[in-house]
Amino acid sequence: MSKKYGKVYLIGGGPGDPGLITVKGKDILGKADVVVHDYLVNPELLSYTKPGAELICVGKKAGHKVMPQGRINELLVEKARGGRIVARLKGGDPFIFGRGGEEAEALAAEGIEFETVPGVTSAAAVPAYAGIPLTHRKIASSFAVVTGHENPAKGESGIEWDIVARMGTVVFLMGVTNLAENMQKLIDSGMNPDTPAAVISRGTYPSQASVIGTVADIAGKAAAREDISSPAIVVTGEVVGLSDVISWYEKKPLFGKRIVVTRPREQARPLSALFEEMGAEVIEFPAIEIAPLTSYAVLDEAMKALVSYDWIIFTSVNGVGGFFERLRHLGLDVREMHGPKVAAIGEVTAEELGARGINVDMMPADYRAEGLIELFREMDLKDKRILIPRAKEAREILPESLREMGAHVDVAPVYQTKKAGKTKTAALKKEISEGRIDVITFTSSSTVRNFLETVGEIPISDGKPVFACIGPVTAKTLTDLGYKAAVVPAEYTAGGLAEAVADYFKDLK
């Protein structure tokens, strides 16, 4: 009986922006038993792997090779022979200066089944993110992609410099170390020294930095910039001149800003995505986590008598989720809610209810308890029964105000918040102290309190970091603890917060 071997996928992970991995590559990461990845692969891509997958970093950073190529080949064979699905995740495209061809040869020689999943190469993507098209109908009809760092063991250069120098556009990958030498070779081979040239460092990342010059002076300009370093690519040709006109990535409203999101992990991604779309680099540092209760006795009793209430008030998305999860646990469903009217604080909370088939009867324009209280003041609440499913820890202003109006109010905890465990506190504190954090965002009073308890005193230097709070209640908590919110949106939503942060920096320009 022949042995059943596994399979290896040689996957191009793209140049850095995690959104540039192919759909197929992402799908394979989700089913792989082993992921063998390079140092330069964006760590966010590893979040697509399945629980329990073995993750092996094999280095491949310039000057810091953790594992020799021969050993990498052996590792892929070894894991596949164990019957496992192996994802070999490489930066850019595996067959463009990625040594994917060598790995494929090694697998073929050992009879291991493999498949190549092409990736978006940095040779095309990085110039595009810098506003540089490799070809243009009026400017360049050809381009060459050249290694900027040839294998010294080859002896003579394998690059036909006289041909490369006549190309409309030339892209050097791994081009910083030998930048001056390569530019001189182009000049010696006939390229006009005044030909535009660019160096783009950390392309497609929020920390992308670029410098524009000519073939003659680009090496000196790049050396004078502290933010230009490996990994970087070099582009020469008249198309470089278009960057002033069609550059888009570095013009995003929050490009280069580093923003801390303190929301619970399960809610952080939508807010993070808004900031990332605006060009920011996001550090997710959950200050709280949503946890189940030790007892649901109060909630259970209320749920069995939902029809007896006149109003149910939902104050948050978490409250909605916890409420309906418990409803299902009790063997009940939305039909139990045919009697009471429903109020919601906030558009997102209302949308969550709508997604569950519940139409909201009342929502204040001011997305906080005070706004809802003002609407209820216009009604006769004497002897009305009101249920408020909410967090175990919350402000008492809403139930107390409704009781003062004559209502019978039951507060039923559906979840609790607690301080999230931290493994990266020291690293974040260091970045804050070094002035490398631009904004810290807070979306609730509990995120403020827990973040400050975890991180400690926050030094402010040269106006950084800026504090941004989702609303005035959260901002007041921050003020009470000795800090001032520079950003408080008029609309108390994640989208409003992101827009307000962008407007803050726009006004500073």
Side-chain angles (χ1 to χ4, degrees):
M1 182 181 294
S2 61
K3 291 184 178 180
K4 174 66 175 177
Y5 288 163
K7 184 174 181 177
V8 177
Y9 292 88
L10 305 173
I11 303 172
D17 182 340
L20 294 181
I21 190 171
T22 63
V23 173
K24 186 171 184 177
K26 180 180 176 181
D27 288 344
I28 293 170
L29 286 178
K31 70 178 184 180
D33 303 305
V34 182
V35 179
V36 180
H37 62 95
D38 287 345
Y39 178 89
L40 291 179
V41 165
N42 192 321
E44 282 192 39
L45 296 182
L46 301 180
S47 67
Y48 300 143
T49 60
K50 69 180 182 181
E54 183 181 4
L55 307 180
I56 305 173
C57 179
V58 293
K60 309 295 285 182
K61 180 185 178 184
H64 297 83
K65 291 187 177 180
V66 174
M67 188 178 292
Q69 185 61 52
R71 176 58 190 134
I72 293 174
N73 298 347
E74 294 171 358
L75 178 65
L76 297 177
V77 171
E78 173 188 319
K79 295 297 181 181
R81 277 184 172 159
R84 307 175 81 181
I85 300 298
V86 182
R88 172 66 175 109
L89 183 61
K90 308 170 77 68
D93 180 274
F95 281 5
I96 300 180
F97 301 122
R99 305 190 73 170
E102 297 172 48
E103 293 172 357
E105 285 183 299
L107 294 167
E110 296 294 335
I112 303 296
E113 184 181 3
F114 67 90
E115 187 173 322
T116 301
V117 181
V120 177
T121 175
S122 60
V126 172
Y129 270 53
I132 301 172
L134 297 187
T135 63
H136 188 285
R137 190 164 62 92
K138 296 179 180 180
I139 301 174
S141 57
S142 65
F143 69 91
V145 179
V146 182
T147 177
H149 189 76
E150 280 193 279
N151 184 352
K154 289 167 56 177
E156 293 187 8
S157 174
I159 299 173
E160 300 288 347
W161 287 99
D162 56 333
I163 296 176
V164 171
R166 296 197 300 272
M167 286 289 182
T169 307
V170 183
V171 180
F172 291 89
L173 302 187
M174 304 167 289
V176 172
T177 303
N178 297 329
L179 177 56
E181 179 183 346
N182 288 335
M183 294 302 99
Q184 188 59 51
K185 286 179 179 177
L186 288 177
I187 294 172
D188 293 343
S189 299
M191 183 175 283
N192 187 333
D194 294 329
T195 300
V199 179
I200 308 151
S201 179
R202 299 177 300 284
T204 79
Y205 282 94
S207 55
Q208 174 177 304
S210 57
V211 58
I212 306 294
T214 66
V215 171
D217 67 16
I218 190 65
K221 287 188 172 183
R225 288 270 297 272
E226 293 184 1
D227 57 347
I228 300 295
S229 60
S230 294
I233 73 165
V234 180
V235 186
T236 66
E238 297 300 326
V239 290
V240 171
L242 293 172
S243 63
D244 287 340
V245 179
I246 63 174
S247 175
W248 58 275
Y249 185 54
E250 294 181 29
K251 292 180 180 178
K252 288 195 170 192
L254 293 177
F255 176 77
K257 302 301 181 186
R258 306 186 75 239
I259 299 177
V260 176
V261 170
T262 60
R263 256 189 166 178
R265 195 172 306 281
E266 57 271 20
Q267 294 179 333
R269 184 85 306 256
L271 179 57
S272 297
L274 290 172
F275 285 127
E276 289 169 350
E277 177 61 26
M278 294 180 183
E281 178 181 355
V282 175
I283 299 95
E284 292 186 358
F285 192 85
I288 62 173
E289 61 183 42
I290 307 302
L293 300 170
T294 55
S295 172
Y296 290 89
V298 175
L299 180 61
D300 291 352
E301 183 178 350
M303 284 186 163
K304 293 172 183 176
L306 288 179
V307 72
S308 69
Y309 288 98
D310 296 286
W311 284 91
I312 302 177
I313 301 174
F314 292 94
T315 61
S316 70
V317 171
N318 288 325
V320 175
F323 179 89
F324 281 92
E325 183 177 333
R326 193 63 187 176
L327 199 66
R328 286 193 299 271
H329 178 81
L330 295 176
L332 306 174
D333 60 31
V334 71
R335 288 172 292 183
E336 303 296 326
M337 298 180 64
H338 66 87
K341 292 184 177 181
V342 175
I345 296 179
E347 189 176 277
V348 178
T349 304
E351 289 175 353
E352 186 69 17
L353 286 164
R356 298 171 186 272
I358 303 296
N359 292 324
V360 172
D361 298 287
M362 186 164 64
M363 181 181 72
D366 182 2
Y367 295 166
R368 53 181 180 151
E370 287 82 351
L372 194 59
I373 290 169
E374 290 306 310
L375 292 179
F376 273 117
R377 287 193 192 283
E378 301 174 5
M379 304 178 187
D380 181 7
L381 292 185
K382 184 173 174 56
D383 294 328
K384 298 296 183 181
R385 298 195 68 219
I386 300 176
L387 174 65
I388 307 177
R390 67 175 199 184
K392 185 178 180 180
E393 316 84 359
R395 293 192 304 152
E396 295 300 323
I397 186 171
L398 179 58
E400 287 179 355
S401 297
L402 296 176
R403 288 176 185 134
E404 289 173 1
M405 297 179 208
H408 300 286
V409 182
D410 291 331
V411 175
V414 296
Y415 67 95
Q416 62 181 327
T417 60
K418 62 181 184 179
K419 188 185 299 184
K422 286 288 167 285
T423 57
K424 299 180 180 179
T425 302
L428 181 60
K429 289 175 69 172
K430 184 174 185 291
E431 292 202 63
I432 292 173
S433 66
E434 293 174 348
R436 299 183 62 224
I437 299 298
D438 296 286
V439 185
I440 301 175
T441 64
F442 298 110
T443 54
S444 67
S445 292
S446 54
T447 59
V448 174
R449 288 190 292 267
N450 289 347
F451 182 85
L452 293 177
E453 286 178 12
T454 300
V455 176
E457 183 177 352
I458 299 178
I460 310 295
S461 177
D462 294 328
K464 296 197 299 185
V466 166
F467 298 105
C469 294
I470 200 167
V473 174
T474 305
K476 184 180 184 305
T477 301
L478 184 66
T479 300
D480 291 344
L481 293 172
Y483 300 91
K484 182 180 179 181
V487 179
V488 181
E491 180 182 309
Y492 313 148
T493 63
L497 180 61
E499 288 291 342
V501 171
D503 287 343
Y504 173 84
F505 285 104
K506 180 181 179 182
D507 292 341
L508 291 180
K509 292 181 179 179

